[in-house]
């Protein structure tokens, strides 16, 4: 049976997290090519570790974009994030570029020619939904996890909190009653900090940002508020842990509140893959009302006419087209409820 009272946890990571550093660099290079030529093809991955950045991938675009331009873009991203540390510095890090031309085998599969439509080198499926738990129409645990780190990063960049470092992570557990989030059951924030700060100092810095991010009265009990629970966190970012492009797939979507099928989210342009990096935004038709998970609105699968206006979880367009073409019978409400209950048990 569907539970109305439960706890749900989602985490977020900051722009200085090793994987997010890689995302930032890879996406900036995609933008570099698209700005020069909107039909460029880019499939590029980034790896970071102690004072080293490795770029690898395939491109098809303006030849005047050289390896030097790619290196410059990578360094600019690291500088904007704020890494000027001994173990990872935008100016001192070694940048290796292993980027070459797109495979001709892939090119012939994705290019439109004659009466052949534009294709896709890779295919992927994602489920999306919207809810009224927050103004952003995103699940509340993920939304507040994001907001805590966003506000802390803004304070760091402005110089208001010089003791904070770029690398941080938040984890928010919300209590749901009658299907609605009502309070924070626990909050965990781990943040890189200056050498001279003690754990209690960091806790005092972080607490106001957590309280401001959560709705009034939602702050958890003091014993359920954890800041740097493992202790000292001075060595961070790629110096503390290697990073790779696209590895924060739950953080980048719904915080565990929706399924997806992807090993990672690569930085690629169409049509090398079916879409560029998926972003956590609603996927319902703009002409319809967003489905309301919080109030338990009745679920219905897309009909054969393709109208998914009341879906909790939407099929992708490819799957919906397959339903229509083949006249498949949609799963019953009973089977959906059973599947959703099983997912809730795993997620909680």
């Amino acid at each position: 049976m569907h539970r109305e009272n439960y706890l749900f946890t989602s985490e977020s990571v900051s722009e200085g997290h090793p994987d997010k550093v890689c995302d930032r660099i890879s996406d900036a290079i995609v933008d570099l090519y698209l700005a020069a030529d909107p039909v460029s093809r880019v499939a590029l991955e980034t790896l970071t570790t102690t004072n080293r950045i490795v770029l690898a991938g395939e491109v098809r675009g303006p030849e005047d974009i050289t390896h030097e331009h790619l290196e410059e873009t990578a360094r600019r991203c690291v500088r904007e994030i704020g890494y000027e540390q001994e173990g990872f510095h935008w100016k001192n890090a070694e940048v290796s570029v292993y980027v070459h031309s797109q495979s001709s085998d892939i090119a012939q599969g994705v290019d439109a020619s004659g009466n052949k439509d534009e294709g896709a080198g890779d295919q992927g499926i994602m489920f999306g939904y919207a809810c009224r738990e927050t103004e952003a129409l995103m699940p509340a645990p993920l939304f507040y996890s994001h907001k805590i780190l966003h506000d802390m990063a803004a304070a760091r960049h402005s110089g208001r909190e010089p003791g904070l470092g770029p690398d941080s992570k938040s984890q928010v557990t919300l209590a749901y009653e009658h299907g609605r989030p009502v309070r924070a059951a626990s909050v965990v924030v781990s943040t890189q900090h200056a050498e001279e700060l003690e754990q209690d100092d960091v806790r005092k810095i972080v607490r106001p940002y957590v309280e401001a991010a959560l709705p009034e009265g939602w702050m958890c009990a003091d014993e359920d508020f954890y800041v740097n629970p493992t202790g000292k966190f001075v060595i961070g970012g790629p110096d503390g842990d290697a990073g790779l492009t696209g590895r924060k797939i739950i953080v980048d979507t719904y915080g565990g509140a929706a399924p997806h099928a992807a090993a990672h989210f690569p930085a690629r342009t169409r049509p090398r893959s079916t879409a560029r990096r998926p972003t956590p935004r609603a996927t319902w038709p703009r002409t319809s009302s967003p489905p309301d998970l919080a109030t338990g609105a009745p679920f219905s699968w897309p009909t054969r006419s393709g109208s998914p206006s009341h879906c909790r979880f939407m099929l992708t367009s490819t799957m919906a087209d397959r339903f229509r073409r083949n006249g498949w019978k949609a799963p019953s409400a009973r089977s959906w409820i059973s599947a959703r209950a099983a997912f809730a048990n795993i997620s909680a």
Side-chain angles (χ1 to χ4, degrees):
M1 295 180 62
H2 174 58
R3 294 174 297 170
E4 292 189 338
N5 303 325
Y6 55 92
L7 301 177
F8 196 92
T9 302
S10 293
E11 73 166 3
S12 180
V13 295
S14 70
E15 62 181 351
H17 185 282
D19 293 330
K20 282 298 164 191
V21 173
C22 295
D23 286 349
R24 176 78 165 266
I25 294 171
S26 292
D27 281 351
I29 292 175
V30 170
D31 292 340
L32 176 68
Y33 274 93
L34 291 179
D37 181 358
V39 297
S40 294
R41 307 296 189 226
V42 182
L44 189 134
E45 315 295 347
T46 302
L47 177 148
T48 57
T49 185
T50 303
N51 267 336
R52 179 178 285 272
I53 302 169
V54 179
L55 308 178
E58 302 77 41
V59 299
R60 178 151 54 102
E63 294 183 359
D64 57 353
I65 297 180
T66 65
H67 284 191
E68 287 72 25
H69 289 106
L70 303 187
E71 177 179 340
E72 180 183 350
T73 299
R75 293 190 188 278
R76 173 176 55 79
C77 291
V78 175
R79 184 179 71 247
E80 290 174 351
I81 292 170
Y83 275 113
E84 296 184 347
Q85 302 166 8
E86 182 180 354
F88 194 69
H89 196 293
W90 67 269
K91 187 176 183 180
N92 302 330
E94 181 180 344
V95 180
S96 301
V97 182
Y98 302 98
V99 178
H100 57 81
S101 298
Q102 183 186 53
S103 161
S104 58
D105 290 345
I106 292 177
Q108 71 178 357
V110 299
D111 287 344
S113 62
N115 61 353
K116 183 175 91 60
D117 292 336
E118 182 179 76
D122 290 332
Q123 295 77 39
I125 296 174
M126 287 187 62
F127 290 79
Y129 73 96
C131 64
R132 295 194 178 106
E133 291 182 4
T134 62
E135 292 183 358
L137 304 178
M138 292 294 290
L142 180 66
F143 176 82
Y144 296 121
S145 294
H146 283 334
K147 185 167 176 54
I148 290 168
L149 298 187
H150 175 273
D151 293 349
M152 288 171 55
R156 178 176 60 84
H157 282 295
S158 70
R160 192 165 71 249
E161 300 293 355
L164 297 181
D167 191 1
S168 57
K169 178 181 289 188
S170 64
Q171 179 177 294
V172 174
T173 300
L174 296 186
Y176 282 73
E177 294 179 2
H178 306 294
R180 293 179 179 273
V182 295
R183 59 181 174 82
S186 65
V187 176
V188 183
V189 178
S190 295
T191 180
Q192 189 180 11
H193 59 86
E195 179 77 48
E196 64 271 14
L197 293 179
E198 299 293 335
Q199 189 174 23
D200 287 343
D201 299 326
V202 180
R203 184 184 180 90
K204 291 176 183 177
I205 293 173
V206 169
R207 187 181 184 96
Y209 295 99
V210 176
E211 292 176 338
L214 295 172
E216 185 176 358
W218 278 34
M219 185 62 185
C220 61
D222 193 63
E223 60 267 24
D224 296 317
F225 175 50
Y226 306 92
V227 176
N228 287 5
T230 58
K232 188 177 180 181
F233 187 5
V234 174
I235 300 173
D239 187 28
D241 192 10
L244 293 168
T245 298
R247 262 55 183 189
K248 286 292 169 282
I249 57 179
I250 296 299
V251 172
D252 286 344
T253 52
Y254 297 89
H260 57 77
H264 76 296
F265 291 162
R268 292 174 175 171
T269 57
R270 293 185 67 250
R272 176 62 180 88
S273 59
T274 51
R276 197 179 162 192
R277 179 183 307 284
T279 52
R281 59 177 60 134
T283 57
W284 74 95
R286 295 294 181 182
T287 56
S288 66
S289 299
D292 190 351
L293 294 185
T295 60
F299 172 84
S300 62
W301 284 88
T303 63
R304 291 186 62 182
S305 64
S307 173
S309 59
H310 295 94
C311 292
R312 276 189 176 139
F313 288 86
M314 284 180 54
L315 293 172
T316 63
S317 59
T318 301
M319 295 178 70
D321 288 343
R322 189 171 296 174
F323 264 85
R324 289 195 294 270
R325 287 198 308 270
N326 295 286
W328 292 347
K329 182 178 179 181
S332 65
R334 183 183 298 276
S335 65
W336 161 251
I337 291 171
S338 299
R340 189 173 189 274
F343 176 73
N345 287 333
I346 294 171
S347 300

